[in-house]
Every structure is written in structure tokens, then in C-alpha cells.
């Protein structure tokens, strides 16, 4: 009985056993995949955790500001909101989101759409954000 054929490993993706990395999908592997990578909204959401609301010191994902992420034909469309319509940080957060995703694999351009429906509510924050802000859980 012969062993089934195995697929050739992708040389762009590091072997976790070889490098001692227990992360199931290391960021380095994802970045190594380059612009040919399949769009992965989960990974884009993780990248957006680097965008911090400077007034609150919490990332926009855990604040519940990011409603949707879609990537098609190299265009990342981010649907998000702000904590209030009069938030003075709208342009800043727009720029940060664009900078964060602009060079991500599979993304050639970023479009940020700020929406007000549904309106943001504190209940939209993750437990992690609430803990960062000192709220009792």
C-alpha cells in the first residue's frame, strides 16, 4: 500500500514545526503570500485592531465601530461608524483604516464608508474593550 500523494508545501508559508511557531496562521506567512492571497476578512479585522481611538485608547474593532469588511477585486470596503455623529476623529480614523489595510495582501485600495445606522451603543463593545475602560463585567 502506498501513501497518498501530498501537496507540495507553499514556500511562501513558513512551516510552524520548522520554526517553532504555534500560531495557526502567523502574520509573517500571511504577509509572505503577497497580493495573490485570497481576501480574508478575519485577518483584515485583526489588522484593524491596530487602529486605536485616541480619545478612548481602545481599538475600533473592540469598540464595535467596524460593522462590515468586504474585499473584492483588490478593493477593501469597510463599513463602520463613530461613537457620535459629531465625533471630531472621523477623518483621522478614516486615514488610519486606509493606512492599516492599504498594503495588506489582496488589497490594492480601501474605501471607508461611515454609516449611522445602526447607531453605535456602548453595548456594541467587546468585553475586552469594556475591561480596558474599567467597566464591571
Amino acid at each position: 500500500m502506498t501513501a497518498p500523494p501530498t501537496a507540495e508545501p507553499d514556500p511562501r508559508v513558513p512551516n510552524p514545526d520548522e520554526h517553532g511557531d504555534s500560531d495557526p496562521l502567523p502574520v509573517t506567512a500571511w504577509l509572505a503570500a503577497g497580493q495573490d492571497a485570497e481576501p480574508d476578512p478575519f485577518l483584515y479585522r485583526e489588522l484593524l485592531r491596530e487602529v486605536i481611538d485616541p480619545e478612548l485608547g481602545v481599538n475600533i474593532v473592540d469598540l464595535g465601530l467596524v460593522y462590515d469588511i468586504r474585499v473584492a477585486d483588490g478593493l477593501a470596503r469597510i463599513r463602520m461608524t463613530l461613537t457620535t455623529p459629531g465625533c471630531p476623529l472621523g477623518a483621522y480614523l478614516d486615514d488610519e483604516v486606509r493606512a492599516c489595510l492599504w498594503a495588506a495582501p489582496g488589497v490594492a485600495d480601501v474605501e471607508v464608508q461611515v454609516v449611522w445606522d445602526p447607531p453605535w451603543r456602548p453595548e456594541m463593545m467587546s468585553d475586552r474593550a469594556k475591561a480596558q475602560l474599567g467597566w464591571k463585567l
Side-chain angles (χ1 to χ4, degrees):
M1 186 165 172
T2 61
T6 58
E8 288 293 315
D10 187 338
R12 300 174 298 178
V13 179
N15 178 348
D17 297 327
E18 188 177 295
H19 300 288
D21 191 348
S22 61
D23 187 351
L25 183 60
V27 172
T28 53
W30 178 59
L31 292 173
Q35 291 299 321
D36 297 333
E38 287 293 317
D40 187 342
F42 173 78
L43 289 172
Y44 301 137
R45 184 171 297 276
E46 288 304 304
L47 279 176
L48 288 174
R49 288 184 191 280
E50 298 298 316
V51 178
I52 306 296
D53 180 310
E55 288 184 327
L56 298 173
V58 179
N59 73 72
I60 63 173
V61 173
D62 285 332
L63 281 174
L65 299 179
V66 178
Y67 290 163
D68 191 39
I69 301 169
R70 294 179 192 238
V71 179
D73 299 324
L75 176 63
R77 288 189 169 101
I78 310 304
R79 196 164 114 333
M80 63 177 289
T81 194
L82 305 173
T83 54
T84 64
C87 178
L89 297 172
Y92 168 80
L93 291 175
D94 183 289
D95 289 346
E96 290 297 304
V97 167
R98 289 173 192 277
C100 179
L101 295 180
W102 181 75
V107 176
D109 198 7
V110 180
E111 176 183 290
V112 179
Q113 179 186 21
V114 176
V115 298
W116 304 110
D117 188 34
W120 181 85
R121 300 178 323 280
E123 296 81 25
M124 295 173 150
M125 291 190 296
S126 70
D127 286 344
R128 185 170 157 184
K130 291 174 185 174
Q132 278 184 273
L133 295 172
W135 292 24
K136 293 184 181 181
L137 300 179

